[in-house]
Amino acid sequence: MASTVYTKKGMNAAGGTPIEHRVVDGQDFYDKTFPRRLRSQMYAAYEKLQALGVGIPFTRTHNGVRMEAGIVLPRAIKRGMITRNMKARLLEKVEELQRKLRAARWAHTDVKPQNIVIRKRSDTDFDVYLIDNDYALPFGDTRIVFTPGVNASDGGGAEIVDGNTDNMGFDAVLRDIRAA
């Protein structure tokens, strides 16, 4: 019988998308609500990344998505779940996510350890996916960039999404895995 460890409702880190995070038997589940004005764009981003094999499997809800279970990378590291045997394969799988995105000419735009989910397939095999795919964009599109600690209405800029957009995020993910 499943036991819920905790449920947390709130906004995502950027404060824009309502999210419910549940942990059941050590697995992370997310239900995300999309703002009505951005719903079609966000559904399209989730569908594109899932079709590429890099976005976590999800189901549509009437106003957002329900992402399937997995364990976010920081929780797996904290629990000591990243074994020496697993580390090399995990590094390869994360690098494969980056290659697939680049080959398809798409950027996630928010790659960080908290947005990497490990889904166990068996005792010896696992998949790695990206979550929080709301603002994934094709190369050439423009995204808004905010400065941490600055009110969004006071500052920020725009940049063209390209093959370098996700580099710093993937570097941080790989660094955390190597240090695990």
Side-chain angles (χ1 to χ4, degrees), residues 11-17 135:
M11 301 300 243
N12 70 351
T17 311
Y135 298 103

Side-chain angles (χ1 to χ4, degrees), residues 1-179:
M1 182 166 176
S3 61
T4 300
V5 175
Y6 76 86
T7 299
K8 180 173 117 183
K9 293 184 180 184
M11 301 300 243
N12 70 351
T17 311
I19 188 166
E20 179 178 338
H21 176 205
R22 295 181 317 284
V23 179
V24 180
D25 290 337
Q27 299 286 305
D28 292 287
F29 292 83
Y30 293 93
D31 289 331
K32 245 181 155 171
T33 304
F34 298 152
R36 183 181 309 272
R37 63 186 165 69
L38 298 174
R39 208 167 281 161
S40 62
Q41 171 191 336
M42 290 178 166
Y43 280 135
Y46 272 81
E47 288 165 354
K48 178 63 177 183
L49 268 56
Q50 184 178 19
L52 292 174
V54 300
I56 193 158
F58 71 94
T59 53
R60 277 184 177 225
T61 62
H62 71 284
N63 61 354
V65 294
R66 172 166 289 148
M67 291 170 260
E68 294 186 13
I71 297 175
V72 292
L73 180 60
R75 188 180 326 283
I77 291 171
K78 185 177 180 180
R79 291 186 180 167
M81 299 171 70
I82 310 297
T83 65
R84 182 174 291 144
N85 293 336
M86 182 183 181
K87 192 181 289 192
R89 291 184 47 233
L90 183 55
L91 288 166
E92 289 172 11
K93 288 179 182 259
V94 169
E95 289 168 347
E96 183 181 348
L97 290 178
Q98 188 174 20
R99 281 192 302 273
K100 284 181 178 180
L101 277 172
R102 277 195 175 155
R105 301 187 51 76
W106 272 71
H108 181 273
T109 75
D110 193 23
V111 176
K112 57 187 173 186
Q114 298 86 339
N115 286 342
I116 299 290
V117 170
I118 302 167
R119 291 191 61 215
K120 196 172 180 180
R121 277 202 271 170
S122 68
D123 287 340
T124 59
D125 200 14
F126 60 92
D127 293 313
V128 177
Y129 295 104
L130 288 162
I131 61 170
D132 204 11
N133 304 332
D134 308 16
Y135 298 103
L137 295 167
F139 290 0
D141 273 17
T142 303
R143 75 175 182 142
I144 303 300
V145 181
F146 298 102
T147 305
V150 175
N151 185 334
S153 62
D154 293 337
E159 73 178 15
I160 303 297
V161 173
D162 64 19
N164 296 315
T165 300
D166 289 334
N167 286 353
M168 286 177 52
F170 275 113
D171 287 347
V173 170
L174 296 170
R175 189 174 42 252
D176 280 10
I177 294 168
R178 287 184 186 107

